[in-house]
Amino acid sequence: MSVIKWTEALEIGIESLDVQHRFLIDVINELHLAVKHNEGNEVLLPMIEKLHDYADTHFSEEEELLEKHDFAGKLDHVQEHNEFIAKLDELKRKCESSGEALTIDIRNYLLSWFFHHIKVCDMEYKAFFQQIQVIAK
Ligand SMILES: [Fe+2]
Ligand SMILES: [Fe+2]
């Protein structure tokens, strides 16, 4: 069973960003299953790699747009993105050095990321983009 479901309310209105957000939701749901099935690092580490690729692509695309349209909250937003990458690196290092798959920790971190960053912070630039008519209301 999915832990998070995509709804229209999550849509930014920019196709590529929405596809990327959906991808993250898929990974969270996969991680949720991995927790249930007690999967080890052979499953977890490739997922962390996927998340890294996701973060590289998605964050640079968002940040380019925030820069282009001069979004006032850009610096804080970028800082959160950087923290996400640092957290992933930290969790990956811990998994590798202890041999223990920290699946629950990673899932929980991504869930809090989803509820805080995607549902709150990303929606702030969405509102701004609507206001300056970069995207439709
Ligand atoms: Fe985002
Ligand atoms: Fe973001």
Side-chain angles (χ1 to χ4, degrees):
M1 208 185 82
S2 303
V3 64
I4 296 181
K5 279 208 169 61
W6 176 265
T7 66
E8 266 181 29
L10 294 168
E11 226 154 73
I12 296 287
I14 297 172
E15 175 78 16
S16 54
L17 298 182
D18 286 326
V19 168
Q20 291 154 2
H21 281 164
R22 278 172 192 255
F23 171 82
L24 184 72
I25 292 173
D26 288 344
V27 177
I28 297 175
N29 288 327
E30 273 179 51
L31 267 167
H32 188 61
L33 276 182
V35 170
K36 271 177 126 177
H37 296 149
N38 249 321
E39 303 283 11
N41 273 336
E42 67 288 352
V43 168
L44 191 61
L45 289 171
M47 284 169 97
I48 296 180
E49 282 309 314
K50 279 205 296 191
L51 284 165
H52 239 292
D53 293 343
Y54 159 84
D56 285 344
T57 312
H58 179 64
F59 294 166
S60 34
E61 206 171 308
E62 268 188 7
E63 289 169 19
E64 234 173 74
L65 283 169
L66 301 185
E67 172 77 33
K68 182 176 168 195
H69 300 293
D70 210 12
F71 176 58
K74 185 191 158 228
L75 283 184
D76 289 342
H77 201 103
V78 171
Q79 189 171 334
E80 289 212 359
H81 287 171
N82 292 341
E83 282 166 12
F84 179 94
I85 292 172
K87 184 71 183 182
L88 267 192
D89 286 340
E90 180 202 317
L91 287 166
K92 184 179 174 209
R93 266 197 311 276
K94 279 191 185 163
C95 290
E96 284 170 340
S97 63
S98 70
E100 191 192 344
L102 300 169
T103 324
I104 294 177
D105 301 48
I106 297 177
R107 182 208 51 194
N108 291 350
Y109 179 68
L110 291 182
L111 275 177
S112 68
W113 176 264
F114 171 79
F115 286 109
H116 169 70
H117 191 87
I118 295 187
K119 286 194 87 172
V120 179
C121 301
D122 284 352
M123 291 304 143
E124 285 170 6
Y125 78 68
K126 174 187 175 178
F128 171 68
F129 283 177
Q130 284 178 330
Q131 211 184 338
I132 61 169
Q133 296 176 347
V134 168
I135 50 180
K137 277 197 185 168

